[in-house]
Amino acid sequence: MCWQTALPTALGTVLATIAGIGLGAALLKASSKPVHIDWFAVAAVAGGSAAVIALALLLTLPVLWRLLRSDALRFE
């Protein structure tokens, strides 16, 4: 169950990081400024976003487990 959240989250975080660094570097090059990547800030933002998603997943797991019990499932 958790991998269905973890895989898209990790993929989205990696793609967003690559796109953000690429666009930031392109804008700095266009304005003739030196390109310097603050890896600590990049890791902090990526880690913070992963932590928020993990927290949301952990908070919704009890409800999900209750709804997936056999007596909670509806059938006709």
Side-chain angles (χ1 to χ4, degrees):
M1 236 184 308
C2 293
W3 66 270
Q4 293 173 337
T5 302
L7 188 64
T9 299
L11 183 62
T13 302
V14 168
L15 289 175
T17 302
I18 291 170
I21 289 172
L23 287 172
L27 286 171
L28 286 171
K29 287 276 188 188
S31 63
S32 300
K33 305 260 185 194
V35 176
H36 173 72
I37 300 169
D38 185 5
W39 291 109
F40 179 74
V42 171
V45 170
S49 67
V52 167
I53 293 169
L55 178 66
L57 174 66
L58 289 175
L59 290 175
T60 58
L61 275 178
V63 175
L64 183 61
W65 284 330
R66 244 182 288 138
L67 291 174
L68 288 178
R69 287 190 319 220
S70 61
D71 58 341
L73 296 175
R74 296 181 187 169
F75 59 91
E76 294 182 21

